[in-house]
Amino acid sequence: MEDVIAEQSISGYLAFSLQIIISIGLMFYVVHRAQVELNAAIAACQMELKTSHMNGTSTNHSGFTYCSKRASAGGGIINVV
């Protein structure tokens, strides 16, 4: 009887440990994907700002109005923490 309880206890700890390992792996994957998406959005925003400044226009027709408003409020510098 004690052997069955010990086996169930060990298998329970192993299953719980596996769940923790999988959760940590998924967390790192999601954070990495979010960082890649954020970097892509920042790069697109910076490219849009460069092209709008090169053209000498202050209007924005490409849909990145948030980028232009952020850059004009921050003096053209985008800080990422």
Side-chain angles (χ1 to χ4, degrees):
M1 184 72 175
E2 290 178 10
D3 290 338
V4 174
I5 293 173
E7 282 183 30
Q8 288 178 347
S9 178
I10 291 171
S11 64
Y13 282 122
L14 288 176
F16 183 64
S17 300
L18 183 64
Q19 287 178 344
I20 289 175
I21 291 169
I22 290 172
S23 297
I24 290 171
L26 284 173
M27 179 187 63
F28 278 111
Y29 173 75
V30 167
V31 168
H32 175 71
R33 290 288 301 172
Q35 189 176 19
V36 169
E37 291 289 327
L38 179 62
N39 288 337
I42 289 171
C45 185
Q46 288 175 343
M47 287 299 294
E48 187 269 334
L49 289 173
K50 286 180 184 177
T51 56
S52 67
H53 286 300
M54 291 174 101
N55 293 336
T57 60
S58 61
T59 58
N60 192 355
H61 300 290
S62 62
F64 291 106
T65 56
Y66 179 73
C67 293
S68 295
K69 288 178 183 176
R70 271 296 273 202
S72 63
I77 300 171
I78 298 175
N79 294 324
V80 178
V81 178

Coordinates of all heavy atoms in Angstrom, one line a residue:
M1 N 0.8 -1.2 0.0 CA 0.0 0.0 0.0 C 0.9 1.3 0.0 O 0.6 2.2 -0.7 CB -0.9 0.0 1.2 CG -1.9 1.1 1.3 SD -3.1 0.9 0.0 CE -4.2 2.3 0.4
E2 N 1.9 1.2 0.8 CA 2.8 2.4 0.9 C 3.5 2.6 -0.4 O 3.8 3.7 -0.8 CB 3.8 2.2 2.0 CG 3.2 2.3 3.4 CD 4.2 2.1 4.5 OE1 5.4 2.1 4.2 OE2 3.7 2.0 5.6
D3 N 3.8 1.5 -1.2 CA 4.5 1.6 -2.4 C 3.6 2.3 -3.5 O 4.1 3.1 -4.3 CB 4.9 0.2 -3.0 CG 6.0 -0.4 -2.1 OD1 6.8 0.4 -1.5 OD2 6.2 -1.6 -2.2
V4 N 2.4 2.1 -3.5 CA 1.4 2.7 -4.4 C 1.3 4.2 -4.1 O 1.4 5.0 -5.0 CB 0.0 2.0 -4.3 CG1 -1.0 2.8 -5.2 CG2 0.1 0.6 -4.7
I5 N 1.3 4.5 -2.9 CA 1.2 6.0 -2.5 C 2.5 6.7 -2.9 O 2.5 7.8 -3.4 CB 0.9 6.1 -1.0 CG1 -0.5 5.6 -0.7 CG2 1.0 7.5 -0.5 CD1 -0.8 5.5 0.8
A6 N 3.6 6.0 -2.6 CA 4.9 6.6 -3.0 C 5.0 6.8 -4.5 O 5.5 7.8 -5.0 CB 6.1 5.8 -2.5
E7 N 4.6 5.8 -5.3 CA 4.6 5.9 -6.8 C 3.7 7.1 -7.2 O 4.0 7.8 -8.1 CB 4.2 4.6 -7.4 CG 5.3 3.6 -7.4 CD 4.8 2.3 -8.1 OE1 4.0 2.4 -9.1 OE2 5.3 1.2 -7.8
Q8 N 2.5 7.2 -6.7 CA 1.6 8.2 -7.0 C 2.2 9.6 -6.7 O 2.0 10.6 -7.4 CB 0.2 8.0 -6.4 CG -0.6 6.9 -6.9 CD -1.9 6.7 -6.2 OE1 -2.1 7.2 -5.1 NE2 -2.8 5.9 -6.8
S9 N 2.8 9.7 -5.5 CA 3.4 10.9 -5.1 C 4.5 11.3 -6.0 O 4.6 12.5 -6.4 CB 3.9 10.8 -3.7 OG 4.5 12.0 -3.3
I10 N 5.4 10.4 -6.4 CA 6.5 10.7 -7.3 C 6.0 11.1 -8.7 O 6.4 12.1 -9.3 CB 7.5 9.5 -7.4 CG1 8.2 9.3 -6.1 CG2 8.5 9.7 -8.5 CD1 9.0 8.1 -6.0
S11 N 5.0 10.4 -9.2 CA 4.5 10.7 -10.5 C 3.7 12.0 -10.5 O 3.8 12.8 -11.5 CB 3.5 9.6 -11.0 OG 2.4 9.5 -10.2
G12 N 3.1 12.4 -9.4 CA 2.5 13.7 -9.2 C 3.5 14.8 -9.3 O 3.3 15.8 -9.9
Y13 N 4.6 14.6 -8.5 CA 5.6 15.6 -8.6 C 6.3 15.8 -9.9 O 6.6 16.9 -10.4 CB 6.7 15.3 -7.5 CG 6.3 15.6 -6.1 CD1 6.3 14.6 -5.1 CD2 6.0 16.9 -5.8 CE1 6.0 14.9 -3.8 CE2 5.6 17.2 -4.4 CZ 5.6 16.2 -3.5 OH 5.3 16.5 -2.2
L14 N 6.5 14.7 -10.6 CA 7.0 14.7 -12.0 C 6.1 15.4 -12.9 O 6.5 16.2 -13.8 CB 7.3 13.3 -12.5 CG 8.5 12.6 -11.8 CD1 8.6 11.2 -12.4 CD2 9.8 13.4 -12.1
A15 N 4.8 15.1 -12.8 CA 3.8 15.8 -13.7 C 3.8 17.3 -13.4 O 3.7 18.1 -14.3 CB 2.4 15.2 -13.5
F16 N 3.8 17.7 -12.2 CA 3.8 19.1 -11.8 C 5.1 19.8 -12.3 O 5.0 20.9 -12.8 CB 3.7 19.2 -10.3 CG 3.6 20.6 -9.8 CD1 2.5 21.4 -10.1 CD2 4.6 21.1 -9.0 CE1 2.4 22.7 -9.6 CE2 4.5 22.4 -8.5 CZ 3.4 23.2 -8.8
S17 N 6.2 19.1 -12.1 CA 7.5 19.7 -12.6 C 7.4 19.9 -14.1 O 7.9 20.9 -14.6 CB 8.6 18.8 -12.2 OG 8.7 18.7 -10.8
L18 N 6.9 18.9 -14.8 CA 6.8 19.0 -16.3 C 5.9 20.2 -16.7 O 6.2 20.9 -17.6 CB 6.3 17.7 -16.9 CG 6.2 17.7 -18.4 CD1 7.6 17.8 -19.0 CD2 5.5 16.4 -18.8
Q19 N 4.8 20.4 -16.0 CA 3.9 21.5 -16.2 C 4.6 22.8 -16.0 O 4.5 23.8 -16.8 CB 2.7 21.4 -15.4 CG 1.7 20.3 -15.8 CD 0.5 20.3 -14.9 OE1 0.5 20.8 -13.8 NE2 -0.6 19.6 -15.3
I20 N 5.4 22.9 -15.0 CA 6.2 24.2 -14.7 C 7.2 24.4 -15.8 O 7.3 25.6 -16.3 CB 6.8 24.1 -13.3 CG1 5.8 24.2 -12.2 CG2 7.9 25.2 -13.1 CD1 6.3 24.0 -10.8
I21 N 7.9 23.4 -16.2 CA 8.9 23.6 -17.3 C 8.2 24.0 -18.6 O 8.7 24.9 -19.3 CB 9.7 22.3 -17.5 CG1 10.6 22.0 -16.2 CG2 10.5 22.3 -18.7 CD1 11.2 20.7 -16.2
I22 N 7.1 23.4 -18.9 CA 6.4 23.8 -20.1 C 5.9 25.2 -20.0 O 6.0 26.0 -21.0 CB 5.2 22.8 -20.4 CG1 5.8 21.4 -20.8 CG2 4.3 23.3 -21.5 CD1 4.8 20.3 -21.0
S23 N 5.4 25.6 -18.9 CA 4.8 26.9 -18.7 C 6.0 28.0 -18.8 O 5.8 29.0 -19.4 CB 4.2 27.1 -17.3 OG 3.1 26.2 -17.2
I24 N 7.1 27.7 -18.2 CA 8.2 28.6 -18.4 C 8.7 28.7 -19.8 O 8.9 29.9 -20.3 CB 9.4 28.2 -17.4 CG1 9.0 28.4 -16.0 CG2 10.7 28.9 -17.8 CD1 10.0 27.8 -15.0
G25 N 8.8 27.6 -20.5 CA 9.1 27.7 -21.9 C 8.1 28.5 -22.8 O 8.5 29.3 -23.6
L26 N 6.9 28.3 -22.5 CA 5.8 29.0 -23.2 C 5.9 30.5 -22.9 O 5.7 31.4 -23.8 CB 4.5 28.5 -22.9 CG 4.1 27.2 -23.6 CD1 2.8 26.7 -23.1 CD2 4.0 27.4 -25.1
M27 N 6.2 30.8 -21.7 CA 6.3 32.2 -21.3 C 7.5 32.9 -22.0 O 7.3 34.0 -22.6 CB 6.6 32.3 -19.8 CG 6.7 33.8 -19.3 SD 7.2 33.9 -17.5 CE 8.8 33.1 -17.6
F28 N 8.6 32.2 -22.1 CA 9.8 32.8 -22.8 C 9.4 32.9 -24.3 O 9.8 33.9 -24.9 CB 11.0 31.9 -22.6 CG 11.7 32.2 -21.4 CD1 11.8 31.3 -20.3 CD2 12.4 33.4 -21.2 CE1 12.4 31.6 -19.2 CE2 13.1 33.7 -20.0 CZ 13.1 32.8 -19.0
Y29 N 8.7 32.0 -24.9 CA 8.3 32.1 -26.3 C 7.4 33.3 -26.5 O 7.6 34.0 -27.5 CB 7.6 30.8 -26.7 CG 7.1 30.8 -28.1 CD1 7.9 30.8 -29.2 CD2 5.7 31.0 -28.3 CE1 7.4 30.8 -30.5 CE2 5.2 31.1 -29.6 CZ 6.0 31.0 -30.7 OH 5.5 31.1 -31.9
V30 N 6.4 33.5 -25.7 CA 5.5 34.5 -25.9 C 6.2 35.9 -25.7 O 5.9 36.8 -26.5 CB 4.3 34.4 -24.9 CG1 3.4 35.7 -24.8 CG2 3.4 33.2 -25.3
V31 N 7.1 36.0 -24.7 CA 7.8 37.3 -24.5 C 8.7 37.5 -25.7 O 8.8 38.7 -26.2 CB 8.6 37.2 -23.2 CG1 9.6 38.4 -23.1 CG2 7.6 37.2 -22.0
H32 N 9.3 36.5 -26.2 CA 10.2 36.7 -27.4 C 9.4 37.2 -28.6 O 9.8 38.1 -29.3 CB 11.0 35.4 -27.7 CG 11.8 35.5 -28.9 ND1 12.9 36.2 -29.0 CD2 11.6 34.9 -30.2 CE1 13.4 36.1 -30.2 NE2 12.6 35.3 -31.0
R33 N 8.3 36.5 -28.8 CA 7.4 36.9 -30.0 C 6.9 38.4 -29.8 O 6.9 39.1 -30.8 CB 6.2 36.0 -30.1 CG 6.5 34.6 -30.6 CD 6.9 34.5 -32.0 NE 5.9 35.1 -32.8 CZ 6.0 35.3 -34.1 NH1 7.1 35.0 -34.7 NH2 4.9 35.8 -34.8
A34 N 6.6 38.7 -28.6 CA 6.1 40.1 -28.4 C 7.2 41.1 -28.6 O 7.0 42.2 -29.2 CB 5.6 40.3 -26.9
Q35 N 8.4 40.7 -28.2 CA 9.6 41.6 -28.4 C 9.9 41.8 -29.9 O 10.2 42.9 -30.4 CB 10.8 41.1 -27.7 CG 12.0 42.0 -27.7 CD 13.2 41.4 -26.9 OE1 13.2 40.2 -26.6 NE2 14.1 42.3 -26.5
V36 N 9.8 40.7 -30.7 CA 10.0 40.8 -32.1 C 8.9 41.7 -32.8 O 9.2 42.5 -33.6 CB 9.9 39.4 -32.7 CG1 9.9 39.4 -34.3 CG2 11.2 38.6 -32.3
E37 N 7.7 41.5 -32.4 CA 6.6 42.3 -32.9 C 6.8 43.8 -32.6 O 6.6 44.7 -33.4 CB 5.2 41.9 -32.4 CG 4.8 40.5 -32.9 CD 4.5 40.6 -34.4 OE1 3.9 41.6 -34.9 OE2 4.7 39.6 -35.1
L38 N 7.2 44.1 -31.3 CA 7.4 45.5 -30.9 C 8.6 46.1 -31.7 O 8.5 47.2 -32.1 CB 7.7 45.5 -29.4 CG 8.0 46.9 -28.8 CD1 6.8 47.8 -29.0 CD2 8.4 46.8 -27.4
N39 N 9.7 45.3 -31.9 CA 10.8 45.9 -32.7 C 10.4 46.1 -34.1 O 10.8 47.1 -34.7 CB 12.0 44.9 -32.6 CG 12.6 44.9 -31.3 OD1 12.5 45.8 -30.5 ND2 13.3 43.8 -31.0
A40 N 9.5 45.3 -34.7 CA 9.1 45.5 -36.0 C 8.2 46.8 -36.1 O 8.3 47.5 -37.0 CB 8.3 44.3 -36.5
A41 N 7.3 47.0 -35.1 CA 6.5 48.1 -35.1 C 7.3 49.4 -34.9 O 7.0 50.4 -35.6 CB 5.4 48.0 -34.0
I42 N 8.3 49.4 -34.1 CA 9.2 50.5 -33.9 C 9.9 50.8 -35.2 O 10.1 52.0 -35.6 CB 10.1 50.3 -32.7 CG1 9.3 50.3 -31.4 CG2 11.2 51.3 -32.7 CD1 10.1 49.9 -30.2
A43 N 10.5 49.8 -35.8 CA 11.2 50.0 -37.1 C 10.3 50.6 -38.1 O 10.7 51.5 -38.9 CB 11.8 48.7 -37.6
A44 N 9.0 50.1 -38.2 CA 8.1 50.7 -39.2 C 7.8 52.1 -38.9 O 7.7 53.0 -39.8 CB 6.8 49.8 -39.2
C45 N 7.6 52.4 -37.6 CA 7.3 53.8 -37.2 C 8.5 54.7 -37.5 O 8.3 55.8 -38.0 CB 7.0 53.8 -35.7 SG 6.5 55.4 -35.0
Q46 N 9.7 54.2 -37.2 CA 10.9 55.1 -37.5 C 11.0 55.3 -39.0 O 11.4 56.4 -39.5 CB 12.1 54.4 -36.9 CG 12.2 54.5 -35.4 CD 13.4 53.8 -34.8 OE1 14.0 53.0 -35.5 NE2 13.7 54.2 -33.6
M47 N 10.8 54.3 -39.8 CA 10.8 54.4 -41.3 C 9.8 55.4 -41.8 O 10.1 56.2 -42.7 CB 10.7 53.1 -42.0 CG 11.8 52.1 -41.8 SD 13.3 52.8 -42.6 CE 12.9 52.8 -44.3
E48 N 8.6 55.3 -41.2 CA 7.6 56.3 -41.6 C 7.9 57.7 -41.2 O 7.7 58.6 -42.0 CB 6.3 55.9 -40.9 CG 5.0 56.6 -41.4 CD 4.8 57.9 -40.5 OE1 5.2 57.9 -39.3 OE2 4.2 58.8 -41.0
L49 N 8.6 57.9 -40.1 CA 9.0 59.2 -39.7 C 10.1 59.7 -40.6 O 10.1 60.9 -40.9 CB 9.5 59.2 -38.2 CG 8.4 59.0 -37.2 CD1 9.0 58.8 -35.8 CD2 7.4 60.1 -37.1
K50 N 11.0 58.9 -40.9 CA 12.1 59.3 -41.8 C 11.6 59.7 -43.2 O 12.0 60.7 -43.7 CB 13.2 58.2 -42.0 CG 14.0 58.0 -40.7 CD 15.0 56.8 -41.0 CE 15.8 56.6 -39.7 NZ 16.7 55.4 -39.9
T51 N 10.7 58.9 -43.7 CA 10.1 59.3 -45.0 C 9.3 60.5 -45.0 O 9.3 61.3 -45.9 CB 9.3 58.1 -45.6 OG1 8.3 57.8 -44.7 CG2 10.2 56.9 -45.9
S52 N 8.6 60.7 -43.9 CA 7.8 61.9 -43.8 C 8.6 63.2 -43.6 O 8.3 64.2 -44.2 CB 6.7 61.9 -42.7 OG 7.4 61.8 -41.4
H53 N 9.7 63.0 -42.9 CA 10.7 64.2 -42.8 C 11.4 64.4 -44.0 O 11.7 65.6 -44.4 CB 11.6 63.9 -41.6 CG 11.0 64.1 -40.3 ND1 10.4 65.2 -39.8 CD2 10.8 63.2 -39.2 CE1 9.9 65.1 -38.6 NE2 10.1 63.8 -38.2
M54 N 11.8 63.4 -44.8 CA 12.5 63.6 -46.0 C 11.6 64.2 -47.1 O 12.1 65.0 -47.9 CB 13.0 62.2 -46.6 CG 14.1 61.6 -45.8 SD 14.5 60.0 -46.4 CE 16.0 60.3 -47.3
N55 N 10.3 63.9 -47.1 CA 9.4 64.5 -48.0 C 9.0 66.0 -47.6 O 8.4 66.7 -48.4 CB 8.1 63.7 -48.2 CG 8.5 62.4 -48.8 OD1 9.4 62.2 -49.5 ND2 7.6 61.4 -48.6
G56 N 9.3 66.3 -46.4 CA 9.0 67.7 -45.9 C 7.5 67.8 -45.6 O 7.0 69.0 -45.5
T57 N 6.8 66.8 -45.4 CA 5.4 66.8 -45.1 C 5.1 66.5 -43.7 O 5.8 65.7 -43.1 CB 4.6 65.8 -46.0 OG1 5.0 64.5 -45.7 CG2 4.7 66.2 -47.5
S58 N 4.2 67.2 -43.1 CA 3.8 66.9 -41.7 C 2.5 66.1 -41.7 O 2.1 65.6 -40.6 CB 3.6 68.2 -41.0 OG 2.6 69.0 -41.6
T59 N 1.8 65.9 -42.8 CA 0.6 65.1 -42.8 C 1.0 63.7 -42.9 O 2.0 63.3 -43.5 CB -0.3 65.5 -44.0 OG1 0.4 65.4 -45.2 CG2 -0.8 66.9 -43.8
N60 N 0.1 62.8 -42.5 CA 0.4 61.4 -42.5 C -0.7 60.6 -43.2 O -1.8 60.6 -42.7 CB 0.6 60.9 -41.0 CG 1.2 59.6 -40.9 OD1 1.4 58.9 -41.9 ND2 1.4 59.1 -39.7
H61 N -0.4 60.0 -44.3 CA -1.4 59.3 -45.0 C -1.3 57.8 -45.0 O -2.0 57.1 -45.5 CB -1.3 59.7 -46.5 CG -1.6 61.2 -46.7 ND1 -2.8 61.8 -46.5 CD2 -0.7 62.2 -47.0 CE1 -2.7 63.1 -46.7 NE2 -1.4 63.3 -47.1
S62 N -0.3 57.3 -44.3 CA 0.0 55.8 -44.3 C -0.6 55.1 -43.1 O -0.5 53.9 -43.0 CB 1.5 55.6 -44.3 OG 2.1 56.1 -43.1
G63 N -1.3 55.8 -42.2 CA -2.0 55.1 -41.1 C -1.2 55.0 -39.8 O -1.6 54.4 -38.9
F64 N 0.0 55.6 -39.8 CA 0.8 55.6 -38.6 C 0.7 57.0 -37.9 O 1.7 57.6 -37.5 CB 2.3 55.4 -39.0 CG 2.6 54.0 -39.4 CD1 2.8 53.8 -40.8 CD2 2.6 53.0 -38.5 CE1 3.1 52.5 -41.2 CE2 2.9 51.7 -39.0 CZ 3.1 51.4 -40.3
T65 N -0.5 57.4 -37.6 CA -0.7 58.7 -37.0 C -0.2 58.6 -35.6 O 0.3 59.6 -35.0 CB -2.2 59.1 -37.0 OG1 -3.0 58.0 -36.4 CG2 -2.7 59.3 -38.4
Y66 N -0.3 57.5 -34.9 CA 0.2 57.4 -33.5 C 1.7 57.6 -33.5 O 2.2 58.3 -32.6 CB -0.1 56.0 -33.0 CG 0.4 55.8 -31.6 CD1 -0.2 56.4 -30.5 CD2 1.5 55.0 -31.3 CE1 0.3 56.3 -29.2 CE2 2.0 54.8 -30.0 CZ 1.4 55.5 -29.0 OH 1.8 55.3 -27.7
C67 N 2.4 57.1 -34.5 CA 3.9 57.3 -34.5 C 4.2 58.8 -34.7 O 5.1 59.3 -34.0 CB 4.5 56.6 -35.7 SG 4.4 54.8 -35.6
S68 N 3.5 59.5 -35.5 CA 3.8 60.9 -35.7 C 3.5 61.7 -34.5 O 4.2 62.6 -34.1 CB 3.0 61.4 -36.9 OG 3.4 60.8 -38.1
K69 N 2.4 61.4 -33.9 CA 2.0 62.1 -32.6 C 3.0 61.9 -31.5 O 3.4 62.8 -30.8 CB 0.6 61.7 -32.2 CG -0.5 62.3 -33.1 CD -1.8 61.8 -32.6 CE -2.9 62.2 -33.6 NZ -4.2 61.7 -33.2
R70 N 3.5 60.6 -31.4 CA 4.4 60.3 -30.3 C 5.8 61.0 -30.6 O 6.4 61.5 -29.7 CB 4.7 58.8 -30.3 CG 3.9 57.9 -29.5 CD 4.0 58.3 -28.1 NE 5.1 57.5 -27.4 CZ 5.1 57.4 -26.1 NH1 4.2 57.8 -25.4 NH2 6.2 56.8 -25.6
A71 N 6.2 61.0 -31.8 CA 7.5 61.5 -32.2 C 7.5 63.1 -32.0 O 8.4 63.7 -31.5 CB 7.9 61.2 -33.6
S72 N 6.4 63.7 -32.4 CA 6.3 65.1 -32.3 C 6.2 65.6 -30.8 O 6.8 66.6 -30.4 CB 5.1 65.7 -33.1 OG 3.9 65.2 -32.5
A73 N 5.6 64.7 -30.0 CA 5.5 65.0 -28.6 C 6.9 64.8 -27.9 O 7.2 65.5 -26.9 CB 4.4 64.2 -27.9
G74 N 7.6 63.8 -28.4 CA 8.9 63.5 -27.7 C 10.1 64.1 -28.4 O 11.2 63.8 -28.1
G75 N 9.9 65.0 -29.3 CA 11.0 65.7 -30.0 C 11.7 64.8 -31.0 O 12.8 65.0 -31.3
G76 N 10.9 63.8 -31.5 CA 11.5 63.0 -32.6 C 12.3 61.8 -32.1 O 12.8 61.0 -32.9
I77 N 12.3 61.6 -30.8 CA 13.0 60.4 -30.2 C 12.0 59.5 -29.6 O 11.2 59.9 -28.8 CB 14.0 60.9 -29.2 CG1 15.1 61.9 -29.8 CG2 14.7 59.7 -28.5 CD1 15.9 62.5 -28.8
I78 N 12.2 58.2 -29.9 CA 11.3 57.2 -29.4 C 12.1 56.4 -28.4 O 13.1 55.8 -28.7 CB 10.7 56.3 -30.5 CG1 9.9 57.1 -31.5 CG2 9.9 55.2 -29.9 CD1 9.4 56.3 -32.7
N79 N 11.7 56.4 -27.2 CA 12.4 55.7 -26.1 C 11.6 54.4 -25.8 O 10.4 54.4 -25.6 CB 12.5 56.5 -24.8 CG 13.3 57.7 -25.0 OD1 14.3 57.7 -25.7 ND2 13.0 58.8 -24.3
V80 N 12.4 53.3 -25.7 CA 11.8 52.0 -25.4 C 12.4 51.5 -24.2 O 13.6 51.4 -24.1 CB 11.9 51.0 -26.6 CG1 11.4 49.7 -26.2 CG2 11.3 51.5 -27.8
V81 N 11.6 51.2 -23.2 CA 12.1 50.7 -21.9 C 12.1 49.2 -21.9 O 11.3 48.6 -22.3 CB 11.3 51.2 -20.7 CG1 11.8 50.7 -19.4 CG2 11.3 52.7 -20.7

